[in-house]
Amino acid sequence: MSALFPTYKRKQIRLQKGNGTYVYDQNDKKYLDFTSGIAVTSLGHCHPDVVAALQKQSECIWHTSNLFEIHQQELLADTLVKHTHLDLAFFCNSGAEANEAAIKLAKKFTKKNKIITFNDSFHGRTFGSMSATGQQKIKEGYGPLLSTFIHLPWNDIEQLKKQADNDTAAIMMEVIQGEGGIKIADPDFYKAVQEICEKNDILLIIDEVQTGIGRTGKRYAYEHFELDPDIVTLAKGLGNGFPIGAMLGKSKLADMFGPGSHGTTFGGNPLACAVSQSVLDIIFHDEFLSEVERKGKNFKAQLENHLINFPCVKEIRGKGLLIGIECERAGELIVNLEDQGLLTVPAGEPVIRLLPPLNVTDEELTSALNTILALFNNKYEKVT
Ligand SMILES: *Cc1c(COP(=O)(O)O)cnc(C)c1O
């Protein structure tokens, strides 16, 4: 009997050691890790630079509280906003907390209640971020939820035009819906979101918790569609496994988050920020990011070429190294891949989500591709 709440349906695999893209279980079985702890360990396991940064800071000072100046926090904020139209950062410990900060800030700044989010979105499990989430299964049994949010169909410009008005504080969205099944909208939809926000003085909040920090081949996924968010939220890939989240925002919002208005004990402590800085020092370079883009494009094209002939495959979607294969019996295939030494993650119901570390090698991608193709060839009929 476990003394844990049974909140998770866990596999009977205990990963005990990790090195780059590889992990090893309790029987020393080796796997290619294309989960990255759900888009978290973007530089692979135990990256030497990140380990060094952690060790160095851990011998200096771990935690001081935000009662004091924190140099590492200042540096990290500068690095995060440098290539954006955003000016300021607030640090917390998770994606849900980053979204919580965004929701509070948007309401306080606009003095309005209504926030538009989308069906199938995922924004977290706290009360605010859960209320924002567009999936019923996440909210079951917790009502009544916040009245703030209305959920609209994804990629539907007409509905958005109808519902966005002068009483709307914000539109909050993922650029690519991650948990919802790697769903990308049409370019026109993003354009419409931007125009509608500008026309009605609505804040644009982009949840980059899964898509940010290089995952899609850009620092932030909104760059693909030339969006100009007022607020961006981050977590997952920001600390390579050390818990840290952040909210970035424009300077016009600064006065609404004055002393005493919001805060957290742990958020942005020296240890978390030093680790995160070492992650960004590697990822935030144009050469690194264009490699992510190249590898992702290539991998997706190969999957498409080889899987197109299987009628069970509906679509292959994604950007950079956030890729989903929508197919029949996805759950069963994920277990089969695991047996063959490749770890992947489900998304939505019928999607196999592939999230290799961003520094994955071409050889590792080829090896994963071969495992996937062998399984499809074994299991399904092709049409010719
Ligand atoms: C994972 C995720 C969250 C929640 O992050 P936590 O750190 O689990 O609170 C929020 N938004 C998106 C888009 C996510 O993928």
Side-chain angles (χ1 to χ4, degrees):
M1 258 302 271
S2 169
L4 297 169
F5 270 107
T7 20
Y8 309 99
K9 185 164 175 275
R10 295 175 196 270
K11 301 173 184 300
Q12 302 205 321
I13 298 174
R14 201 180 309 145
L15 300 174
Q16 311 203 123
K17 206 162 84 66
N19 183 6
T21 311
Y22 291 97
V23 287
Y24 303 82
D25 73 8
Q26 66 270 39
N27 303 315
D28 224 23
K29 179 173 170 183
K30 183 179 177 182
Y31 303 86
L32 259 181
D33 183 7
F34 275 37
T35 71
S36 298
I38 316 189
V40 170
T41 52
S42 292
L43 294 173
H45 297 277
C46 302
H47 189 286
D49 291 12
V50 183
V51 171
L54 179 90
Q55 283 176 343
K56 185 161 170 243
Q57 188 60 44
S58 76
E59 288 165 7
C60 199
I61 194 164
W62 292 23
H63 180 83
T64 63
S65 96
N66 286 300
L67 294 171
F68 301 93
E69 282 186 7
I70 300 175
H71 182 59
Q72 294 84 351
Q73 216 182 95
E74 302 276 351
L75 278 181
L76 188 62
D78 283 342
T79 309
L80 285 169
V81 300
K82 197 168 164 188
H83 296 273
T84 70
H85 295 112
L86 303 154
D87 309 290
L88 301 165
F90 170 83
F91 290 102
C92 52
N93 312 289
S94 68
E97 275 179 69
N99 286 330
E100 210 63 37
I103 294 161
K104 285 175 72 174
L105 184 55
K107 288 182 84 160
K108 198 173 183 195
F109 179 77
T110 61
K111 301 181 178 65
K112 293 169 186 169
N113 179 46
K114 177 169 146 189
I115 299 179
I116 293 173
T117 65
F118 297 95
N119 294 344
D120 295 330
S121 63
F122 182 76
H123 298 293
R125 304 273 193 168
T126 57
F127 231 86
S129 63
M130 170 177 68
S131 299
T133 293
Q135 301 182 40
Q136 204 42 48
K137 65 173 195 266
I138 305 281
K139 306 190 257 195
E140 215 56 60
Y142 296 117
L145 302 178
L146 293 190
S147 64
T148 299
F149 298 96
I150 61 165
H151 303 90
L152 300 183
W154 180 232
N155 203 19
D156 185 335
I157 298 176
E158 286 319 305
Q159 280 293 321
L160 189 59
K161 278 191 176 150
K162 236 186 255 165
Q163 296 289 341
D165 54 25
N166 285 327
D167 290 327
T168 309
I171 296 174
M172 178 173 182
M173 66 177 202
E174 301 158 87
V175 177
I176 301 172
Q177 293 187 331
E179 300 304 312
I182 321 295
K183 289 187 185 144
I184 310 180
D186 299 324
D188 282 351
F189 179 73
Y190 300 106
K191 218 167 158 188
V193 167
Q194 188 68 53
E195 283 168 9
I196 287 165
C197 283
E198 276 162 27
K199 194 170 137 228
N200 298 286
D201 241 341
I202 295 171
L203 293 177
L204 178 56
I205 303 173
I206 303 224
D207 180 343
E208 294 259 9
V209 170
Q210 185 153 166
T211 51
I213 318 296
R215 178 50 60 186
T216 68
K218 304 234 181 250
R219 286 175 181 79
Y220 308 103
Y222 73 76
E223 296 171 40
H224 289 288
F225 301 102
E226 289 166 31
L227 289 161
D228 181 19
D230 299 286
I231 296 175
V232 166
T233 56
L234 300 168
K236 294 198 165 92
L238 186 55
N240 212 64
F242 198 99
I244 180 169
M247 179 192 69
L248 312 180
K250 290 191 172 170
S251 57
K252 66 180 177 189
L253 303 165
D255 290 347
M256 292 302 132
F257 256 16
S261 58
H262 191 55
T264 143
T265 301
F266 292 129
N269 83 9
L271 195 53
C273 290
V275 171
S276 179
Q277 187 68 47
S278 74
V279 173
L280 299 188
D281 283 347
I282 296 171
I283 295 178
F284 275 15
H285 287 284
D286 292 338
E287 305 77 50
F288 184 95
L289 293 164
S290 59
E291 270 295 282
V292 175
E293 198 152 32
R294 179 191 66 78
K295 288 183 285 190
K297 261 197 185 130
N298 196 12
F299 188 51
K300 184 164 164 260
Q302 301 239 40
L303 287 168
E304 275 164 351
N305 286 344
H306 290 100
L307 296 183
I308 194 103
N309 295 323
F310 290 95
C312 59
V313 175
K314 297 267 157 20
E315 197 179 19
I316 293 163
R317 300 188 285 267
K319 269 198 187 296
L321 291 168
L322 172 61
I323 296 173
I325 306 171
E326 181 175 344
C327 62
E328 287 164 20
R329 294 151 74 188
E332 197 182 311
L333 287 169
I334 287 169
V335 175
N336 295 149
L337 288 172
E338 189 178 290
D339 293 339
Q340 300 304 312
L342 175 64
L343 300 178
T344 61
V345 206
E349 284 297 296
V351 176
I352 303 172
R353 183 168 27 162
L354 302 162
L355 293 162
L358 304 181
N359 57 358
V360 66
T361 65
D362 287 311
E363 291 71 30
E364 288 161 351
L365 287 167
T366 303
S367 165
L369 181 73
N370 289 338
T371 305
I372 293 167
L373 298 186
L375 179 63
F376 273 89
N377 279 318
N378 255 324
K379 203 158 173 129
Y380 292 112
E381 292 290 315
K382 267 194 227 184
V383 288
T384 42

